[in-house]
Amino acid sequence: MMYALVDCNNFFVSCERAFQPQLEGKAVVVLSNNDGCVVARSNESKALGIEMCTPYFKIRSLADSGRLVVRSSNYALYGDLSVRIMSILRSVSPKLEVYSIDEAFMIMEGMDVAQVKAISSDLVKRIRQWIGVPVSIGVASTKTLSKIASHFAKKYPGYRGVCVMDNDEKRMKALSLTEIGDVWGIGWRTAPKLGAMGVRSASDFVQRPQEWVKKHLGIMGVRTWMELQGKDCIEDQEPEKRKSICTSRSFANSISDKNELASRVSDFAALCAHKLRSENSAAHTVWVFIQTNRFRKDTVQYDPMSSISLDVPASSTQEIVGTSLKILEAIYEPGYEYKRAGVILTDIVDGSSIQPSLFDFDYGKRSKEDKVSEVMDKVNVPGRNLLGLATQRPGNYSDGIRCSYKSGSFSTDWKDLIEVH
DNA sequence: TCTGGGGTCCTAGGACCC
DNA sequence: TCTGGGGTCCTAGGACCC
């Protein structure tokens, strides 16, 4: 079996550049929701020493002095370009596992290495030409190794975007050049722990005995260990439905007022219900959390979280919002400055196979609410909520979220495109 | 002053049962 | 009053990913 991991280079920045070529060659970063911190960097901004997740206020002076270009995140644009890239990949490899917005594993069956190499090189050129986004492709016998191969493809221009790891000699060479913390599955907590025990590179790691790995890292560590030896053990995931759905945001300014908080929580709950219905699912349990600013050392922290389990799984906006507000009522304490809140739906089941409970006297009311939600789904296009419940805020749910440096939704909104030209 | 959001999986520990 | 061990289920928290 051969995996080809296709990974978009600096994806959000590349999407911005695709429609704003004047950003090419410049140091560019994209900020998270609320313009909080850095979530994507161009090579030039990496060279400036800007780390992932740097809070914006720490690099503001660079931006002010014109050495750094800043963009707020524009998910309509990134999502649209992602869909286009994935459809190109699917046209050459029907067995495609979309792993994230900017990454996918192509499962190459019935092809030899030369064919895979040729297809990959062609893809790199085509995606750059058609979409305007540079990608790197790593080919190897397991997913973890293909990730490592893609890092090499990205790092060294000599590969021209494609690195194929097709024998043991190349594998061992690559492992000895890869820091343990750069291995897929070894995170920032485990890497220093391993370092302290003398494991610095991926090749140090694979040379440890399996029992040692099991003892220190558990079964997940063993899985990574096997994958690095070329033993394929991370299965292909079915594009199954999500097991939890979450909508949460930090606020531009903190909120103390209960009604204000309730309207924000209503928005989050409504968005969760919408996501839930788009997968034809229903949820048994609703969670709500509210949080004070965890970075402030000078104020008292309060971050309660609570849930309600419903007798019958729900998917209507009314019921999800109503339940969320009940939870909020239970956990809200006056006198705190809340900076963030969220709604999480769990215990998700298939919406078409809900068993009404024997004592579900609300059945008639429930199906009526479901019909209302259906109508709301049809009228509400993303980002423009025209129909909502009385507790929701009027207008766009992203109100109160900072996004000062947002570019146009060029590929999905023709008015934005005209403005550039 | 200003620090993201949305997921998955595993594990340890408590409650409860026999 | 003394006292064990095993199984299951649930939950909170941790670790990882992008």
Side-chain angles (χ1 to χ4, degrees):
Chain A
M1 177 69 76
M2 248 184 297
Y3 293 100
L5 172 69
V6 182
D7 191 357
C8 300
N9 302 350
N10 313 330
F11 183 55
F12 295 173
V13 169
S14 297
C15 291
E16 296 289 337
R17 281 176 170 169
F19 288 88
Q20 302 161 87
Q22 70 276 17
L23 300 183
E24 210 69 54
K26 291 197 177 142
V28 182
V29 295
V30 175
L31 301 177
S32 63
N33 247 323
N34 212 29
D35 290 345
C37 60
V38 172
V39 291
R41 306 162 294 160
S42 70
N43 291 343
E44 297 79 6
S45 52
K46 288 175 192 171
L48 283 177
I50 299 171
E51 295 291 326
M52 202 65 172
C53 295
T54 305
Y56 177 48
F57 70 87
K58 287 193 178 167
I59 53 168
R60 178 166 295 159
S61 59
L62 276 175
D64 291 344
S65 68
R67 288 195 287 160
L68 178 66
V69 179
V70 173
R71 290 284 177 268
S72 302
S73 39
N74 183 345
Y75 290 102
L77 177 66
Y78 313 149
D80 184 56
L81 294 194
S82 174
V83 167
R84 293 173 194 225
I85 291 170
M86 297 309 169
S87 71
I88 293 175
L89 299 183
R90 207 168 275 117
S91 72
V92 302
S93 166
K95 273 194 96 173
L96 184 74
E97 192 185 324
V98 177
Y99 180 69
S100 73
I101 194 167
D102 71 334
E103 265 178 66
F105 292 101
M106 297 193 293
I107 295 131
M108 309 303 243
E109 283 174 329
M111 283 180 238
D112 60 31
V113 177
Q115 283 173 300
V116 173
K117 210 180 268 189
I119 288 174
S120 301
S121 296
D122 179 56
L123 278 175
V124 169
K125 283 183 214 127
R126 248 160 75 192
I127 294 171
R128 178 79 219 216
Q129 220 167 55
W130 293 2
I131 313 292
V133 169
V135 304
S136 303
I137 302 182
V139 178
S141 60
T142 69
K143 290 184 177 175
T144 308
L145 288 173
S146 69
K147 280 271 208 179
I148 290 180
S150 81
H151 294 162
F152 281 87
K154 190 173 298 190
K155 194 166 169 191
Y156 300 105
Y159 285 111
R160 298 180 177 279
V162 180
C163 172
V164 180
M165 191 190 286
D166 57 345
N167 62 44
D168 243 27
E169 192 189 333
K170 288 183 191 168
R171 181 177 66 90
M172 285 314 295
K173 180 86 193 292
L175 293 191
S176 66
L177 291 171
T178 300
E179 282 177 38
I180 187 63
D182 291 336
V183 172
W184 193 40
I186 307 290
W188 63 280
R189 283 205 104 110
T190 308
K193 229 168 73 182
L194 288 173
M197 296 187 282
V199 173
R200 294 196 173 77
S201 68
S203 93
D204 293 340
F205 184 65
V206 290
Q207 284 167 38
R208 296 289 165 124
Q210 182 169 345
E211 303 73 54
W212 185 90
V213 176
K214 174 82 171 57
K215 184 179 160 215
H216 290 99
L217 304 187
I219 59 170
M220 299 298 278
V222 172
R223 209 176 66 159
T224 299
W225 182 82
M226 305 239 296
E227 283 256 322
L228 288 174
Q229 330 229 3
K231 288 177 205 123
D232 192 9
C233 55
I234 300 181
E235 300 123 42
D236 308 339
Q237 286 150 329
E238 292 292 307
E240 54 196 32
K241 294 180 180 181
R242 286 179 285 188
K243 293 170 180 166
S244 68
I245 287 174
C246 168
T247 303
S248 75
R249 295 281 185 283
S250 294
F251 310 132
N253 301 302
S254 49
I255 297 173
S256 295
D257 178 61
K258 184 159 78 171
N259 291 330
E260 175 74 5
L261 209 50
S263 76
R264 306 309 299 271
V265 166
S266 297
D267 287 344
F268 301 156
L271 199 49
C272 278
H274 181 84
K275 292 177 190 172
L276 190 64
R277 290 193 295 272
S278 74
E279 305 206 344
N280 190 26
S281 297
H284 251 298
T285 307
V286 181
W287 293 81
V288 173
F289 66 84
I290 49 179
Q291 283 176 359
T292 49
N293 188 342
R294 66 199 162 100
F295 293 100
R296 286 190 59 168
K297 302 279 179 257
D298 57 326
T299 54
V300 187
Q301 300 288 313
Y302 179 54
D303 58 342
M305 177 165 190
S306 189
S307 68
I308 288 180
S309 286
L310 305 163
D311 295 332
V312 179
S315 65
S316 79
T317 297
Q318 280 94 328
E319 197 167 358
I320 303 286
V321 169
T323 307
S324 302
L325 290 177
K326 263 188 232 164
I327 301 167
L328 177 67
E329 185 70 37
I331 60 178
Y332 173 83
E333 289 290 342
Y336 291 100
E337 299 267 309
Y338 298 99
K339 183 65 180 160
R340 184 165 176 250
V343 174
I344 304 170
L345 307 180
T346 61
D347 297 330
I348 289 176
V349 297
D350 192 9
S352 54
S353 62
I354 295 173
Q355 298 280 331
S357 141
L358 189 53
F359 302 105
D360 185 12
F361 300 116
D362 292 334
Y363 185 73
K365 177 171 166 247
R366 200 180 312 279
S367 52
K368 196 165 144 198
E369 287 181 355
D370 287 345
K371 290 212 178 68
V372 173
S373 294
E374 262 175 51
V375 173
M376 286 169 52
D377 286 343
K378 283 187 185 134
V379 177
N380 288 335
V381 292
R384 198 170 297 172
N385 278 355
L386 303 171
L387 269 188
L389 304 181
T391 49
Q392 283 176 258
R393 296 152 58 88
N396 193 314
Y397 60 79
S398 67
D399 284 0
I401 308 280
R402 243 192 299 267
C403 52
S404 313
Y405 315 99
K406 192 161 165 186
S407 55
S409 296
F410 305 112
S411 65
T412 51
D413 193 333
W414 58 272
K415 288 193 214 83
D416 285 339
L417 194 54
I418 286 170
E419 274 168 28
V420 241
H421 294 292

